[in-house]
Structures are given as C-alpha cells and as structure tokens.
Amino acid sequence: MKIPRLSISLALVRDMSKTPPKSPAKTHKQKAGAQQSTMSSQRNQSPTTLTPKKNSITLQNLFEQEKPTLPGSNGIVSSPNSGNEEILCVVSYCSSGLTFTDTSESPSQQDFKRLQLSKLLAIIKSSKKPLPEKVLEPLVSMISPYLFRPLPPPANPSDVADLPDDEDPISTFSPIRSHLQIVYEILLGVVMITDPNVLKEYIDHPFLLRLLALFQSEDRRERESLKNVYHKIYSKFTCERSFMRKSMNDVLLNYAVETEKHAGIAELLEIWGTIINGFTVPLKEEHKLFLMRVLIPLHKTKGLQMYHRQLAYCVSQFVQKEPMLGGIVVRGILRYWPVTNCHKEVLLIGQLEDLVENLDPDHYRKLALPLCTQITKCINSWNSQVAERALYVWNNEQFVRMASTAMVEVFPVIVQGMEKNLQWHWSKSVRQLTESVKLMLEDMDPVLYSKALQDMKARESAARQEDLKRKQRWQTIDEMAATKTQFLNPPHSIRVSH
C-alpha cells in the first residue's frame, strides 16, 4: 500500500537528516594514523565484501514515487505542467467510450469521468486566453458524441400539448443528464473564449443543424442549456446569423404546417424574441415575411398554450417597432380563431388586448368593428371563463378608446351581445359583469345606446313577423297539397250486391 511506504520513507528521511555530534579536533598525527589504518583496512578487504555506494534519497524523489496517475487506459498524469497539455490529457481520458446508460459500467467509473469533465470545465472557465487550434479539434471531437446521440421517443406524444407550463412530460430524467449539463457548459465556455474566426472551422453548418435538432429533446433542462449555447453562437458568429435564422424558420414552419410535433418551440421562440429585439427600424422585408408566414400561422396549432407567452412576445416586438403591422397581426389572429378550444380563446383575448395598446391610432377605425365583433362572440360564449375574460376587456381604456372611434358601427353589435347575455346566459357572474359593462356603455353615449337597443328590438320584432309569415306560408302550402291530393285520388264507393 502507498500510505505505509510513504510513512517508512519519511521515517528514513528523518533518520538521515539527523547529524551526528561533532567530535573534538584531531591532531595532525591522529589524522595521519586514521588515514593509514583506513587504507590498510581497504587493502585487506576482499572485492566481494565491498558495499556499493548508496544513492541519495530526498523528499522530492519520495514524492515523485508516490505521485498518483489517472486510471485511464493510457495512464495519463493528472497534473501536467502546461495548461494546454492538461486540457489534452483530460480530453483524451473523457473520449473513452462510457455511455452512462450501459449497466456494465461501474458507478465509480462514471463518477470519475464526471469528475474529469468538471475539471475540464474549471480549466476552460479559468482560462483567460483563447484556446489554440491544437486543443480545439480534439475538444470538439470529444464533445460531439456526447451531444449528438439518438433521442428517445416521446414519452406521451398525445398528451404533451395538453400539459400546463409547470409540469414536465418526463418524470425521471435520463441517466446521462448529470454529465450532459457539464458538456453543454464546456461548449458554452469554448464559444465564449474562442475567436469565432478560428472556431467556425469546427462549428460549421452540419454542426449547427445537428445542434438545432437537439431542441426536440423532451428534457426541459437540456433544452434550456441548448438555448443558451445556440444563442451565444448566434451572437458571436455574425457571418452565420442568416443561416441560423433560416434553419430556425424551417423548424417553426414545418411544425405549424406539417407535424405540430416538436418539444422545443418555446425555446426557439425565446431565441427569436432576443433577435427581434435587436432589429433596426425600418424592418427589412425578410423580417416582415417571417412575421406573416411563420409567426402568425403558429397561432392556429393545437399546442399553442405550450409556447403562447414566447409567441406573443415576438409578435408584440414587431408591432412595437412598426405599429403599422398591428393590423396584419390582428387580422391574422382573427383568421385563426379557435372554434372549440376555450383555453386558446382565453389566451388570444389577452393577446388582442395587449396588441391594442401598441396599435397605430390610424388603424383604430378599421379594426374596431372586427375586434368588437369577435369580443362580443366571446362574451356570448357558454364557457364562463371565456365570457368573463372577454367582458374584462372593456376595463382597458385603450380598447374603449378604439371602440369609440366607430361607435355607430360597433354599438349595435355590442348592445345585442349584452342583451342576449342578460336574458339567456346560465352563469350568474357573467350576467353581473354584463350588467356592469352595459352601464358603462350607456354612460358613454346614452342616446346611441338607446337607439341601438330600439333598433335591436325592431329587428327582433321584424324577425318574429317574418317567422310567422314563413310558418303561414308553409301552412298554406300544406293545405293546398292536401286539397290537390284529395282531388286526384277521390274515395272509391263500395257497391253492395243484392
């Protein structure tokens, strides 16, 4: 064992380090006699009895003998002199074929490899100089197999879109998760300290596409780490920004139009939110097309609630930069309005309310009627949550200001919806809120509200009269049909023979 040998060696050193006491000074004759006796004893001694000269033992030699080595296949020393050599040593060991999923791998091996990855991360974080090319190539080659592995199939592919935001579709994360987080941090550290002109030789288009494909992972923590890495690459690799934007557009468009199956749409939209925030005004035509062809169609998918917050932020950034785009966004949302999904309706009502605050006032009159018509339909919804959320929109001063720009067109629609709720809605709370909104509208313009109410009653009376006339016409047609049938088919008389 190493510890006893080290203790014995240290004991030897302590014994050797003790100096004998000094003897009194010898006279010249005594020295000469001692030399002669020594020479005579050496002449009388046989060659076989001569002892070899012992090597000097120092603490440095003992510690070098006790220096441990890594248990890797190559016996690499854990503490090289050079920083680059130390990185290469750890990279060489971490490139071994541990999968972290094979049952034959011992926990000690996995723990030691995880320890070496942490050591490599610490070295990269503490490095103040860019990594040289001789280190980058093996380092990226070591990282790639960890990241680019086959992803497991979805755990519950049919229920993923229905989960709330605070629940994760995977209850037990992958066993490789503990070291995968370290690998992502290593890649992020490499991107941050390395010159992009040097690193682009290793992080090329195929690497970026494979990195983008990892957003399909159902592990939310992995997607979060991946988002940070991908966004940092986008911010540093200015020459690759166009390619990265196009690649993300393809993923989003394929999701919206084809599959509607992807776990990382929210993370991709978070990256897009920061990108859109950096756009300069006036916006390029490329970015406007992205809004119309990609972002707006994302409102129609059944998994909207999984990424609606990020999508609403991206859209609002466009409208804030160019308010003239608000009309396109509002009409696009109304076009994809859900029919049976009440949760999506609640989300979209809130988004429309936020968009109204950023609209160009010149668009108020054009958008007042379609917006108020849709809100009124939601007020009459039999789902109480949808109806209440739509009624609360009238507490928004900006929305009321927009509706007031087209009062003549808007009031007949609103008054009809209010009266319908007061008469027929089953929810007591909805009826109470409707009564409050009705009082507010009457205060805005009592004359116009009264006229709209009279017009509604007149239309209802005309509709009842038309319904009676229609029923009378059908009754007349039935009587004529019965008379004609009797005329064409008279009853046959029965003759009785005597």
Side-chain angles (χ1 to χ4, degrees), residues 236-262:
K236 293 200 68 174
F237 286 63
T238 55
C239 59
E240 302 293 347
R241 289 181 179 178
S242 178
F243 173 79
M244 296 176 73
R245 288 197 303 268
K246 183 180 181 302
S247 302
M248 288 189 290
N249 289 356
D250 294 341
V251 173
L252 296 175
L253 196 58
N254 182 68
Y255 169 81
V257 178
E258 297 290 339
T259 64
E260 293 194 11
K261 293 181 181 180
H262 199 289

PDB file of all heavy atoms in Angstrom, residues 236-262:
ATOM      1  N   LYS A 236     -22.167  35.611 -31.471  1.00  0.00           N
ATOM      2  CA  LYS A 236     -20.751  35.739 -31.799  1.00  0.00           C
ATOM      3  C   LYS A 236     -20.463  35.461 -33.267  1.00  0.00           C
ATOM      4  O   LYS A 236     -19.591  36.089 -33.856  1.00  0.00           O
ATOM      5  CB  LYS A 236     -19.928  34.796 -30.919  1.00  0.00           C
ATOM      6  CG  LYS A 236     -19.935  35.155 -29.430  1.00  0.00           C
ATOM      7  CD  LYS A 236     -18.778  34.527 -28.694  1.00  0.00           C
ATOM      8  CE  LYS A 236     -17.469  35.133 -29.116  1.00  0.00           C
ATOM      9  NZ  LYS A 236     -16.330  34.657 -28.315  1.00  0.00           N
ATOM     10  N   PHE A 237     -21.182  34.534 -33.875  1.00  0.00           N
ATOM     11  CA  PHE A 237     -20.928  34.170 -35.279  1.00  0.00           C
ATOM     12  C   PHE A 237     -21.802  35.046 -36.173  1.00  0.00           C
ATOM     13  O   PHE A 237     -22.856  34.616 -36.659  1.00  0.00           O
ATOM     14  CB  PHE A 237     -21.238  32.693 -35.503  1.00  0.00           C
ATOM     15  CG  PHE A 237     -20.224  31.747 -34.929  1.00  0.00           C
ATOM     16  CD1 PHE A 237     -19.997  31.694 -33.561  1.00  0.00           C
ATOM     17  CD2 PHE A 237     -19.489  30.908 -35.743  1.00  0.00           C
ATOM     18  CE1 PHE A 237     -19.073  30.836 -33.012  1.00  0.00           C
ATOM     19  CE2 PHE A 237     -18.558  30.037 -35.217  1.00  0.00           C
ATOM     20  CZ  PHE A 237     -18.350  30.002 -33.852  1.00  0.00           C
ATOM     21  N   THR A 238     -21.365  36.261 -36.405  1.00  0.00           N
ATOM     22  CA  THR A 238     -22.176  37.181 -37.209  1.00  0.00           C
ATOM     23  C   THR A 238     -22.322  36.698 -38.649  1.00  0.00           C
ATOM     24  O   THR A 238     -23.346  36.946 -39.282  1.00  0.00           O
ATOM     25  CB  THR A 238     -21.540  38.574 -37.186  1.00  0.00           C
ATOM     26  OG1 THR A 238     -20.166  38.478 -37.626  1.00  0.00           O
ATOM     27  CG2 THR A 238     -21.569  39.149 -35.778  1.00  0.00           C
ATOM     28  N   CYS A 239     -21.332  36.006 -39.158  1.00  0.00           N
ATOM     29  CA  CYS A 239     -21.398  35.545 -40.540  1.00  0.00           C
ATOM     30  C   CYS A 239     -22.374  34.386 -40.721  1.00  0.00           C
ATOM     31  O   CYS A 239     -22.763  34.082 -41.855  1.00  0.00           O
ATOM     32  CB  CYS A 239     -20.003  35.139 -41.032  1.00  0.00           C
ATOM     33  SG  CYS A 239     -19.243  33.825 -40.049  1.00  0.00           S
ATOM     34  N   GLU A 240     -22.778  33.733 -39.633  1.00  0.00           N
ATOM     35  CA  GLU A 240     -23.687  32.591 -39.716  1.00  0.00           C
ATOM     36  C   GLU A 240     -25.104  32.938 -39.288  1.00  0.00           C
ATOM     37  O   GLU A 240     -25.960  32.053 -39.222  1.00  0.00           O
ATOM     38  CB  GLU A 240     -23.165  31.444 -38.826  1.00  0.00           C
ATOM     39  CG  GLU A 240     -21.775  30.960 -39.159  1.00  0.00           C
ATOM     40  CD  GLU A 240     -21.711  30.280 -40.518  1.00  0.00           C
ATOM     41  OE1 GLU A 240     -22.776  29.965 -41.077  1.00  0.00           O
ATOM     42  OE2 GLU A 240     -20.592  30.076 -41.026  1.00  0.00           O
ATOM     43  N   ARG A 241     -25.387  34.195 -39.015  1.00  0.00           N
ATOM     44  CA  ARG A 241     -26.708  34.548 -38.496  1.00  0.00           C
ATOM     45  C   ARG A 241     -27.811  34.284 -39.513  1.00  0.00           C
ATOM     46  O   ARG A 241     -28.890  33.793 -39.160  1.00  0.00           O
ATOM     47  CB  ARG A 241     -26.717  36.019 -38.076  1.00  0.00           C
ATOM     48  CG  ARG A 241     -25.901  36.279 -36.817  1.00  0.00           C
ATOM     49  CD  ARG A 241     -25.956  37.734 -36.407  1.00  0.00           C
ATOM     50  NE  ARG A 241     -25.189  37.962 -35.181  1.00  0.00           N
ATOM     51  CZ  ARG A 241     -25.041  39.139 -34.614  1.00  0.00           C
ATOM     52  NH1 ARG A 241     -25.622  40.216 -35.152  1.00  0.00           N
ATOM     53  NH2 ARG A 241     -24.332  39.266 -33.506  1.00  0.00           N
ATOM     54  N   SER A 242     -27.580  34.601 -40.756  1.00  0.00           N
ATOM     55  CA  SER A 242     -28.599  34.367 -41.773  1.00  0.00           C
ATOM     56  C   SER A 242     -28.925  32.882 -41.889  1.00  0.00           C
ATOM     57  O   SER A 242     -30.102  32.492 -41.974  1.00  0.00           O
ATOM     58  CB  SER A 242     -28.123  34.920 -43.123  1.00  0.00           C
ATOM     59  OG  SER A 242     -29.068  34.657 -44.131  1.00  0.00           O
ATOM     60  N   PHE A 243     -27.899  32.044 -41.877  1.00  0.00           N
ATOM     61  CA  PHE A 243     -28.125  30.598 -41.964  1.00  0.00           C
ATOM     62  C   PHE A 243     -28.875  30.089 -40.735  1.00  0.00           C
ATOM     63  O   PHE A 243     -29.785  29.251 -40.860  1.00  0.00           O
ATOM     64  CB  PHE A 243     -26.780  29.882 -42.092  1.00  0.00           C
ATOM     65  CG  PHE A 243     -26.881  28.385 -42.031  1.00  0.00           C
ATOM     66  CD1 PHE A 243     -27.275  27.658 -43.141  1.00  0.00           C
ATOM     67  CD2 PHE A 243     -26.577  27.706 -40.855  1.00  0.00           C
ATOM     68  CE1 PHE A 243     -27.371  26.278 -43.081  1.00  0.00           C
ATOM     69  CE2 PHE A 243     -26.668  26.332 -40.786  1.00  0.00           C
ATOM     70  CZ  PHE A 243     -27.069  25.615 -41.909  1.00  0.00           C
ATOM     71  N   MET A 244     -28.534  30.581 -39.560  1.00  0.00           N
ATOM     72  CA  MET A 244     -29.193  30.120 -38.336  1.00  0.00           C
ATOM     73  C   MET A 244     -30.652  30.578 -38.301  1.00  0.00           C
ATOM     74  O   MET A 244     -31.529  29.830 -37.856  1.00  0.00           O
ATOM     75  CB  MET A 244     -28.425  30.623 -37.120  1.00  0.00           C
ATOM     76  CG  MET A 244     -27.006  30.071 -37.016  1.00  0.00           C
ATOM     77  SD  MET A 244     -26.049  30.744 -35.624  1.00  0.00           S
ATOM     78  CE  MET A 244     -26.840  29.914 -34.252  1.00  0.00           C
ATOM     79  N   ARG A 245     -30.926  31.792 -38.754  1.00  0.00           N
ATOM     80  CA  ARG A 245     -32.321  32.248 -38.810  1.00  0.00           C
ATOM     81  C   ARG A 245     -33.146  31.389 -39.770  1.00  0.00           C
ATOM     82  O   ARG A 245     -34.271  30.982 -39.455  1.00  0.00           O
ATOM     83  CB  ARG A 245     -32.386  33.718 -39.227  1.00  0.00           C
ATOM     84  CG  ARG A 245     -31.927  34.693 -38.175  1.00  0.00           C
ATOM     85  CD  ARG A 245     -32.422  36.106 -38.500  1.00  0.00           C
ATOM     86  NE  ARG A 245     -31.981  36.540 -39.815  1.00  0.00           N
ATOM     87  CZ  ARG A 245     -30.869  37.224 -40.051  1.00  0.00           C
ATOM     88  NH1 ARG A 245     -30.069  37.547 -39.038  1.00  0.00           N
ATOM     89  NH2 ARG A 245     -30.551  37.599 -41.274  1.00  0.00           N
ATOM     90  N   LYS A 246     -32.582  31.116 -40.926  1.00  0.00           N
ATOM     91  CA  LYS A 246     -33.305  30.298 -41.904  1.00  0.00           C
ATOM     92  C   LYS A 246     -33.546  28.889 -41.363  1.00  0.00           C
ATOM     93  O   LYS A 246     -34.629  28.305 -41.574  1.00  0.00           O
ATOM     94  CB  LYS A 246     -32.508  30.236 -43.212  1.00  0.00           C
ATOM     95  CG  LYS A 246     -33.217  29.464 -44.322  1.00  0.00           C
ATOM     96  CD  LYS A 246     -32.388  29.443 -45.587  1.00  0.00           C
ATOM     97  CE  LYS A 246     -33.123  28.699 -46.700  1.00  0.00           C
ATOM     98  NZ  LYS A 246     -33.473  27.313 -46.335  1.00  0.00           N
ATOM     99  N   SER A 247     -32.587  28.329 -40.671  1.00  0.00           N
ATOM    100  CA  SER A 247     -32.745  26.985 -40.119  1.00  0.00           C
ATOM    101  C   SER A 247     -33.855  26.962 -39.073  1.00  0.00           C
ATOM    102  O   SER A 247     -34.677  26.034 -39.053  1.00  0.00           O
ATOM    103  CB  SER A 247     -31.419  26.516 -39.509  1.00  0.00           C
ATOM    104  OG  SER A 247     -30.384  26.518 -40.467  1.00  0.00           O
ATOM    105  N   MET A 248     -33.888  27.970 -38.209  1.00  0.00           N
ATOM    106  CA  MET A 248     -34.958  28.024 -37.214  1.00  0.00           C
ATOM    107  C   MET A 248     -36.319  28.252 -37.866  1.00  0.00           C
ATOM    108  O   MET A 248     -37.332  27.694 -37.426  1.00  0.00           O
ATOM    109  CB  MET A 248     -34.664  29.119 -36.195  1.00  0.00           C
ATOM    110  CG  MET A 248     -33.519  28.792 -35.240  1.00  0.00           C
ATOM    111  SD  MET A 248     -33.354  29.984 -33.873  1.00  0.00           S
ATOM    112  CE  MET A 248     -32.759  31.415 -34.759  1.00  0.00           C
ATOM    113  N   ASN A 249     -36.361  29.071 -38.918  1.00  0.00           N
ATOM    114  CA  ASN A 249     -37.617  29.287 -39.641  1.00  0.00           C
ATOM    115  C   ASN A 249     -38.155  27.984 -40.208  1.00  0.00           C
ATOM    116  O   ASN A 249     -39.364  27.715 -40.163  1.00  0.00           O
ATOM    117  CB  ASN A 249     -37.409  30.292 -40.776  1.00  0.00           C
ATOM    118  CG  ASN A 249     -37.192  31.701 -40.260  1.00  0.00           C
ATOM    119  OD1 ASN A 249     -37.275  31.941 -39.064  1.00  0.00           O
ATOM    120  ND2 ASN A 249     -36.907  32.616 -41.155  1.00  0.00           N
ATOM    121  N   ASP A 250     -37.274  27.155 -40.758  1.00  0.00           N
ATOM    122  CA  ASP A 250     -37.701  25.878 -41.332  1.00  0.00           C
ATOM    123  C   ASP A 250     -38.327  24.981 -40.261  1.00  0.00           C
ATOM    124  O   ASP A 250     -39.343  24.317 -40.515  1.00  0.00           O
ATOM    125  CB  ASP A 250     -36.521  25.170 -41.989  1.00  0.00           C
ATOM    126  CG  ASP A 250     -36.006  25.921 -43.210  1.00  0.00           C
ATOM    127  OD1 ASP A 250     -36.764  26.757 -43.741  1.00  0.00           O
ATOM    128  OD2 ASP A 250     -34.849  25.689 -43.615  1.00  0.00           O
ATOM    129  N   VAL A 251     -37.737  24.972 -39.078  1.00  0.00           N
ATOM    130  CA  VAL A 251     -38.276  24.144 -37.991  1.00  0.00           C
ATOM    131  C   VAL A 251     -39.653  24.648 -37.569  1.00  0.00           C
ATOM    132  O   VAL A 251     -40.607  23.861 -37.419  1.00  0.00           O
ATOM    133  CB  VAL A 251     -37.304  24.138 -36.799  1.00  0.00           C
ATOM    134  CG1 VAL A 251     -37.925  23.417 -35.605  1.00  0.00           C
ATOM    135  CG2 VAL A 251     -35.991  23.472 -37.180  1.00  0.00           C
ATOM    136  N   LEU A 252     -39.798  25.958 -37.386  1.00  0.00           N
ATOM    137  CA  LEU A 252     -41.076  26.517 -36.956  1.00  0.00           C
ATOM    138  C   LEU A 252     -42.158  26.335 -38.008  1.00  0.00           C
ATOM    139  O   LEU A 252     -43.307  25.988 -37.688  1.00  0.00           O
ATOM    140  CB  LEU A 252     -40.908  28.006 -36.627  1.00  0.00           C
ATOM    141  CG  LEU A 252     -39.988  28.345 -35.453  1.00  0.00           C
ATOM    142  CD1 LEU A 252     -39.827  29.852 -35.329  1.00  0.00           C
ATOM    143  CD2 LEU A 252     -40.524  27.776 -34.151  1.00  0.00           C
ATOM    144  N   LEU A 253     -41.793  26.550 -39.266  1.00  0.00           N
ATOM    145  CA  LEU A 253     -42.784  26.415 -40.335  1.00  0.00           C
ATOM    146  C   LEU A 253     -43.204  24.963 -40.519  1.00  0.00           C
ATOM    147  O   LEU A 253     -44.382  24.664 -40.760  1.00  0.00           O
ATOM    148  CB  LEU A 253     -42.206  26.979 -41.632  1.00  0.00           C
ATOM    149  CG  LEU A 253     -43.203  27.279 -42.758  1.00  0.00           C
ATOM    150  CD1 LEU A 253     -44.254  28.273 -42.285  1.00  0.00           C
ATOM    151  CD2 LEU A 253     -42.478  27.820 -43.974  1.00  0.00           C
ATOM    152  N   ASN A 254     -42.273  24.051 -40.402  1.00  0.00           N
ATOM    153  CA  ASN A 254     -42.608  22.631 -40.503  1.00  0.00           C
ATOM    154  C   ASN A 254     -43.541  22.218 -39.364  1.00  0.00           C
ATOM    155  O   ASN A 254     -44.460  21.403 -39.558  1.00  0.00           O
ATOM    156  CB  ASN A 254     -41.335  21.794 -40.465  1.00  0.00           C
ATOM    157  CG  ASN A 254     -41.610  20.316 -40.617  1.00  0.00           C
ATOM    158  OD1 ASN A 254     -42.029  19.847 -41.667  1.00  0.00           O
ATOM    159  ND2 ASN A 254     -41.360  19.554 -39.566  1.00  0.00           N
ATOM    160  N   TYR A 255     -43.325  22.786 -38.200  1.00  0.00           N
ATOM    161  CA  TYR A 255     -44.202  22.485 -37.070  1.00  0.00           C
ATOM    162  C   TYR A 255     -45.609  23.032 -37.315  1.00  0.00           C
ATOM    163  O   TYR A 255     -46.619  22.344 -37.073  1.00  0.00           O
ATOM    164  CB  TYR A 255     -43.629  23.080 -35.789  1.00  0.00           C
ATOM    165  CG  TYR A 255     -44.583  23.041 -34.622  1.00  0.00           C
ATOM    166  CD1 TYR A 255     -44.742  21.882 -33.866  1.00  0.00           C
ATOM    167  CD2 TYR A 255     -45.333  24.162 -34.275  1.00  0.00           C
ATOM    168  CE1 TYR A 255     -45.623  21.840 -32.800  1.00  0.00           C
ATOM    169  CE2 TYR A 255     -46.218  24.126 -33.206  1.00  0.00           C
ATOM    170  CZ  TYR A 255     -46.360  22.963 -32.479  1.00  0.00           C
ATOM    171  OH  TYR A 255     -47.247  22.933 -31.427  1.00  0.00           O
ATOM    172  N   ALA A 256     -45.710  24.272 -37.776  1.00  0.00           N
ATOM    173  CA  ALA A 256     -47.016  24.909 -37.928  1.00  0.00           C
ATOM    174  C   ALA A 256     -47.829  24.316 -39.067  1.00  0.00           C
ATOM    175  O   ALA A 256     -49.058  24.217 -38.972  1.00  0.00           O
ATOM    176  CB  ALA A 256     -46.833  26.410 -38.153  1.00  0.00           C
ATOM    177  N   VAL A 257     -47.163  23.888 -40.141  1.00  0.00           N
ATOM    178  CA  VAL A 257     -47.876  23.465 -41.348  1.00  0.00           C
ATOM    179  C   VAL A 257     -47.994  21.950 -41.449  1.00  0.00           C
ATOM    180  O   VAL A 257     -49.020  21.426 -41.904  1.00  0.00           O
ATOM    181  CB  VAL A 257     -47.177  24.032 -42.602  1.00  0.00           C
ATOM    182  CG1 VAL A 257     -47.870  23.566 -43.866  1.00  0.00           C
ATOM    183  CG2 VAL A 257     -47.155  25.550 -42.549  1.00  0.00           C
ATOM    184  N   GLU A 258     -46.971  21.221 -40.994  1.00  0.00           N
ATOM    185  CA  GLU A 258     -46.925  19.785 -41.243  1.00  0.00           C
ATOM    186  C   GLU A 258     -47.213  18.945 -39.998  1.00  0.00           C
ATOM    187  O   GLU A 258     -48.223  18.256 -39.923  1.00  0.00           O
ATOM    188  CB  GLU A 258     -45.549  19.407 -41.817  1.00  0.00           C
ATOM    189  CG  GLU A 258     -45.245  20.037 -43.176  1.00  0.00           C
ATOM    190  CD  GLU A 258     -46.098  19.461 -44.287  1.00  0.00           C
ATOM    191  OE1 GLU A 258     -46.613  18.336 -44.101  1.00  0.00           O
ATOM    192  OE2 GLU A 258     -46.253  20.123 -45.314  1.00  0.00           O
ATOM    193  N   THR A 259     -46.321  18.965 -39.027  1.00  0.00           N
ATOM    194  CA  THR A 259     -46.327  17.943 -37.978  1.00  0.00           C
ATOM    195  C   THR A 259     -47.067  18.352 -36.713  1.00  0.00           C
ATOM    196  O   THR A 259     -47.771  17.545 -36.116  1.00  0.00           O
ATOM    197  CB  THR A 259     -44.879  17.582 -37.606  1.00  0.00           C
ATOM    198  OG1 THR A 259     -44.223  18.735 -37.050  1.00  0.00           O
ATOM    199  CG2 THR A 259     -44.108  17.114 -38.824  1.00  0.00           C
ATOM    200  N   GLU A 260     -46.894  19.593 -36.279  1.00  0.00           N
ATOM    201  CA  GLU A 260     -47.387  20.065 -34.978  1.00  0.00           C
ATOM    202  C   GLU A 260     -46.846  19.203 -33.836  1.00  0.00           C
ATOM    203  O   GLU A 260     -47.506  19.030 -32.801  1.00  0.00           O
ATOM    204  CB  GLU A 260     -48.920  20.096 -34.936  1.00  0.00           C
ATOM    205  CG  GLU A 260     -49.529  21.131 -35.864  1.00  0.00           C
ATOM    206  CD  GLU A 260     -50.995  21.391 -35.578  1.00  0.00           C
ATOM    207  OE1 GLU A 260     -51.486  20.917 -34.528  1.00  0.00           O
ATOM    208  OE2 GLU A 260     -51.648  22.054 -36.391  1.00  0.00           O
ATOM    209  N   LYS A 261     -45.654  18.666 -34.026  1.00  0.00           N
ATOM    210  CA  LYS A 261     -44.995  17.858 -33.001  1.00  0.00           C
ATOM    211  C   LYS A 261     -43.553  18.331 -32.861  1.00  0.00           C
ATOM    212  O   LYS A 261     -42.725  18.089 -33.738  1.00  0.00           O
ATOM    213  CB  LYS A 261     -45.027  16.370 -33.364  1.00  0.00           C
ATOM    214  CG  LYS A 261     -46.422  15.755 -33.361  1.00  0.00           C
ATOM    215  CD  LYS A 261     -46.361  14.281 -33.713  1.00  0.00           C
ATOM    216  CE  LYS A 261     -47.759  13.667 -33.727  1.00  0.00           C
ATOM    217  NZ  LYS A 261     -47.726  12.218 -34.074  1.00  0.00           N
ATOM    218  N   HIS A 262     -43.283  19.021 -31.792  1.00  0.00           N
ATOM    219  CA  HIS A 262     -41.920  19.481 -31.506  1.00  0.00           C
ATOM    220  C   HIS A 262     -41.895  19.982 -30.075  1.00  0.00           C
ATOM    221  O   HIS A 262     -42.773  20.754 -29.666  1.00  0.00           O
ATOM    222  CB  HIS A 262     -41.490  20.589 -32.470  1.00  0.00           C
ATOM    223  CG  HIS A 262     -40.010  20.799 -32.535  1.00  0.00           C
ATOM    224  ND1 HIS A 262     -39.293  21.369 -31.507  1.00  0.00           N
ATOM    225  CD2 HIS A 262     -39.109  20.494 -33.502  1.00  0.00           C
ATOM    226  CE1 HIS A 262     -38.007  21.421 -31.850  1.00  0.00           C
ATOM    227  NE2 HIS A 262     -37.875  20.898 -33.047  1.00  0.00           N
TER     228      HIS A 262
END
